[in-house]
Amino acid sequence: MLKTVDSISRMQTFVKILKKEGRTIGLVPTMGALHEGHLSLMRAAKTHTDVVVVSIFVNPLQFGPSEDFGKYPRDFARDEEMASRVGVDVIFCPKAEEMYPAGYSTYVNVEGLTEGLCGASRPGHFKGVTTVVTKLFSIVKPDIAYFGQKDAQQAFVIRRMVENLNMGIDIKVLPTIREKDGLAISSRNVFLSKEERREATALYVSLKKAESAVRGGEREPRAVIAAIEEVIRECPSAEIDYISIVDTQSLKDVTVIAGEVLIALAVTIGHTRLIDNTIMKV
Amino acid sequence: MLKTVDSISRMQTFVKILKKEGRTIGLVPTMGALHEGHLSLMRAAKTHTDVVVVSIFVNPLQFGPSEDFGKYPRDFARDEEMASRVGVDVIFCPKAEEMYPAGYSTYVNVEGLTEGLCGASRPGHFKGVTTVVTKLFSIVKPDIAYFGQKDAQQAFVIRRMVENLNMGIDIKVLPTIREKDGLAISSRNVFLSKEERREATALYVSLKKAESAVRGGEREPRAVIAAIEEVIRECPSAEIDYISIVDTQSLKDVTVIAGEVLIALAVTIGHTRLIDNTIMKV
């Protein structure tokens, strides 16, 4: 039976009981607008932990002033039904006024990993993410927390934060779930028009082309980036934010493709910013 | 029997056992060089919690480049004996290399409360404090943590952090312990020459004078600050860093003494920076 908890103190009380009973907790932090990507995380949590908590909180702190906080898709009834179907135990959906009361002033920041890639065009975004995730971790006290590989930089940043702050939480990062044509599933895909939706496949196609170039022996980042760019430029509605090949430790651009690299891109199609990525070991 | 733990992972393992046994944990975070102030915190922890942990870690992150990190007093054997005498259960003394491994990049910061008072002359100090305290809290998972009123700004900042990040830890702030002549006990007092030690009493004397001015009806911050200044200026070795009267919610200067105010000062005597304060409700 799915339980909905919308107050921090009630969630804390419930967590105390679970801990006393020795039950393990899996947390899937989301902003709602649940999709197959989220469901795959919940299913994994079901197999690993005794009690699965899904947080639904559209975190104002991680949106820039010109970003889509206001129009971010929200449909709680649908989310509840989806979570219930995969056997989630608790939806934790705190109110913004309780998460960030007047005078709120504490922030967690991972320096170094957050300035490049999405951080460059979304200043403050990752500070918002690490702050809210720290709060959710404090409240829910999960043994394991689940994140999607689609938000690769976010996953690296959270892993680093958990390690640096000795949070003792196991962070599991699960593969990106895709539509049949390869488009990474995202809550923002609903914003795409039919034509934009068709063009959006280019992100996946371009990454596949990059992968085969690297597999074919290409070690020059600029050549691989050019190959990706070529695919994206064929889409009339697409505007490239970045295409980067970075080291997975530092998230800094590599000069030669070697070791483990993240090939990541952000592209705005029409008015919708989409991201995708692939990790390669060479 | 006092147990000494110098590795983070061994501390975490021990904490897991304590939690499983349902035992409550009290944490007294220190930088060593223990004195009566610390002991009063440990004694309180003994009465409130099942297991008392004292952390001893001279945190490099909270010292500025020109500050006294290198010469900060260290005497582990003496600390151990003192802690043992008041019945402390565990000394946790992690190594700096384990607390801040290469590539360390995560920081916790309380904005707003940390820019004034000691924050003005010690930029980065409170960021260092909140970061290390977050780490210690993650590792030790205390039910209650103890701080001294002598470091008033630190106590306010940590309370705010714990509240903002929903850490669910009870923060107890205990009264400043003083020498017979009123000097607030501090690990840094050992740096004072005999003459400086005599002069150092001026901090306490000036605060007493401020208190009686306020009790006498003075509501003008500048008049009270002038009264404090007058006492300090009588000491040839004293240099005033700041004398401030701030609101205890915002830590911003008040224009009129009303409600709850913190009267705080920092004075360098010779080469030793001393702080002291009093909280008044009017």
Side-chain angles (χ1 to χ4, degrees):
Chain A
M1 189 53 202
L2 178 63
K3 187 186 167 85
T4 298
V5 180
D6 67 359
S7 108
I8 293 173
S9 63
R10 256 178 292 141
M11 191 67 219
Q12 287 170 319
T13 306
F14 185 60
V15 166
K16 250 184 207 155
I17 296 168
L18 296 175
K19 293 279 166 190
K20 218 168 228 168
E21 294 173 353
R23 298 220 268 167
T24 59
I25 300 173
L27 172 65
V28 182
T30 82
M31 299 207 300
L34 301 181
H35 54 60
E36 273 305 316
H38 299 117
L39 296 183
S40 75
L41 305 180
M42 297 174 200
R43 284 188 201 105
K46 279 299 282 182
T47 69
H48 302 147
T49 58
D50 299 331
V51 178
V52 176
V53 178
V54 171
S55 62
I56 296 185
F57 180 62
V58 186
N59 176 31
L61 215 59
Q62 72 191 68
F63 288 81
S66 65
E67 290 182 3
D68 57 356
F69 174 70
K71 69 165 195 168
Y72 195 84
R74 292 161 171 91
D75 187 345
F76 189 75
R78 186 175 162 278
D79 290 345
E80 211 172 15
E81 208 223 294
M82 290 175 79
S84 168
R85 243 187 294 140
V86 296
V88 165
D89 300 287
V90 182
I91 290 181
F92 174 49
C93 47
K95 307 256 183 301
E97 313 84 73
E98 205 190 353
M99 288 290 270
Y100 304 116
Y104 188 93
S105 54
T106 306
Y107 302 93
V108 179
N109 195 29
V110 176
E111 298 178 2
L113 298 188
T114 54
E115 291 84 358
L117 303 175
C118 286
S121 49
R122 306 187 71 187
H125 168 69
F126 288 109
K127 183 175 162 185
V129 169
T130 44
T131 299
V132 80
V133 169
T134 297
K135 286 170 65 70
L136 292 171
F137 284 179
S138 287
I139 298 162
V140 177
K141 302 195 195 308
D143 297 274
I144 314 181
Y146 297 81
F147 295 87
Q149 181 56 44
K150 203 209 72 180
D151 299 290
Q153 187 176 14
Q154 170 177 281
F156 283 113
V157 166
I158 286 169
R159 266 194 202 289
R160 173 74 58 86
M161 174 186 81
V162 165
E163 205 181 289
N164 279 179
L165 295 181
N166 310 101
M167 290 176 168
I169 295 165
D170 186 1
I171 301 298
K172 296 230 186 283
V173 180
L174 270 62
T176 303
I177 305 297
R178 299 179 180 282
E179 302 283 2
K180 273 189 191 135
D181 64 359
L183 176 67
I185 293 185
S186 160
S187 303
R188 288 185 171 100
N189 292 352
V190 299
F191 296 141
L192 299 168
S193 71
K194 207 173 164 190
E195 170 54 24
E196 289 165 356
R197 170 66 191 77
R198 210 187 50 76
E199 289 184 23
T201 316
L203 278 77
Y204 177 69
V205 173
S206 74
L207 287 172
K208 283 288 134 191
K209 197 174 154 197
E211 282 177 359
S212 69
V214 174
R215 264 194 230 102
E218 184 59 66
R219 292 294 175 266
E220 174 61 64
R222 266 188 299 183
V224 177
I225 290 169
I228 294 174
E229 231 171 58
E230 207 180 52
V231 177
I232 306 291
R233 288 215 190 290
E234 276 167 29
C235 306
S237 324
E239 205 179 303
I240 295 168
D241 176 1
Y242 68 81
I243 303 167
S244 298
I245 304 181
V246 300
D247 176 84
T248 56
Q249 280 303 303
S250 64
L251 300 191
K252 301 282 181 227
D253 289 336
V254 296
T255 51
V256 157
I257 297 173
E260 194 181 64
V261 296
L262 168 71
I263 308 180
L265 75 169
V267 176
T268 299
I269 312 252
H271 294 289
T272 308
R273 190 175 177 277
L274 301 176
I275 58 175
D276 203 347
N277 69 83
T278 182
I279 291 179
M280 296 194 78
K281 266 187 200 165
V282 292
Chain B
M1 187 54 198
L2 178 63
K3 183 184 170 84
T4 298
V5 179
D6 67 359
S7 107
I8 293 173
S9 62
R10 255 178 293 140
M11 191 68 218
Q12 286 168 320
T13 306
F14 185 60
V15 166
K16 251 183 208 159
I17 296 168
L18 295 175
K19 292 282 166 187
K20 218 168 230 168
E21 294 173 353
R23 299 220 267 166
T24 58
I25 300 174
L27 173 65
V28 182
T30 83
M31 299 208 300
L34 300 182
H35 54 60
E36 273 304 316
H38 299 117
L39 297 183
S40 75
L41 305 182
M42 297 173 201
R43 284 187 201 106
K46 279 300 281 182
T47 69
H48 302 145
T49 58
D50 299 330
V51 178
V52 176
V53 178
V54 171
S55 61
I56 296 185
F57 180 62
V58 186
N59 176 31
L61 214 59
Q62 73 190 68
F63 288 82
S66 65
E67 291 182 2
D68 57 356
F69 174 70
K71 68 164 195 169
Y72 196 86
R74 291 163 172 89
D75 186 346
F76 189 76
R78 185 173 162 281
D79 290 345
E80 211 172 16
E81 208 222 294
M82 290 174 80
S84 169
R85 240 185 298 139
V86 293
V88 165
D89 299 287
V90 181
I91 289 182
F92 174 49
C93 47
K95 307 254 183 303
E97 311 84 75
E98 204 190 355
M99 288 290 270
Y100 303 116
Y104 187 92
S105 53
T106 305
Y107 302 92
V108 179
N109 195 30
V110 176
E111 299 177 2
L113 298 187
T114 55
E115 291 83 0
L117 304 174
C118 287
S121 49
R122 304 188 72 188
H125 168 69
F126 287 109
K127 183 177 161 181
V129 169
T130 43
T131 299
V132 80
V133 169
T134 297
K135 286 170 65 71
L136 292 170
F137 284 178
S138 287
I139 297 164
V140 178
K141 301 194 195 307
D143 297 276
I144 313 180
Y146 297 80
F147 295 87
Q149 182 56 44
K150 203 209 72 181
D151 300 289
Q153 187 176 14
Q154 170 177 281
F156 283 114
V157 166
I158 286 169
R159 264 193 204 289
R160 173 71 60 86
M161 174 186 81
V162 165
E163 206 181 287
N164 278 180
L165 295 182
N166 311 101
M167 289 175 166
I169 295 165
D170 186 2
I171 301 299
K172 295 227 186 286
V173 180
L174 271 62
T176 303
I177 304 296
R178 299 179 179 280
E179 303 283 2
K180 272 189 193 136
D181 64 0
L183 176 67
I185 294 185
S186 160
S187 303
R188 288 184 171 99
N189 291 352
V190 299
F191 296 140
L192 298 168
S193 72
K194 205 173 165 188
E195 170 54 21
E196 289 166 354
R197 170 65 189 80
R198 210 186 49 75
E199 289 185 23
T201 315
L203 276 76
Y204 176 70
V205 173
S206 73
L207 287 172
K208 284 287 134 193
K209 198 173 154 198
E211 282 177 359
S212 68
V214 174
R215 261 192 233 104
E218 184 59 68
R219 293 293 176 265
E220 175 60 63
R222 267 189 298 186
V224 177
I225 290 170
I228 294 174
E229 231 172 57
E230 205 179 54
V231 177
I232 305 293
R233 290 215 189 290
E234 276 166 30
C235 305
S237 323
E239 205 179 302
I240 295 168
D241 176 0
Y242 67 82
I243 304 167
S244 298
I245 305 180
V246 299
D247 176 83
T248 56
Q249 279 304 302
S250 65
L251 301 190
K252 303 283 180 226
D253 290 336
V254 295
T255 50
V256 157
I257 297 174
E260 195 182 64
V261 297
L262 168 71
I263 308 179
L265 74 169
V267 175
T268 299
I269 311 251
H271 295 287
T272 307
R273 189 174 176 280
L274 301 176
I275 59 176
D276 203 347
N277 67 84
T278 182
I279 290 178
M280 296 194 79
K281 265 186 202 171
V282 293

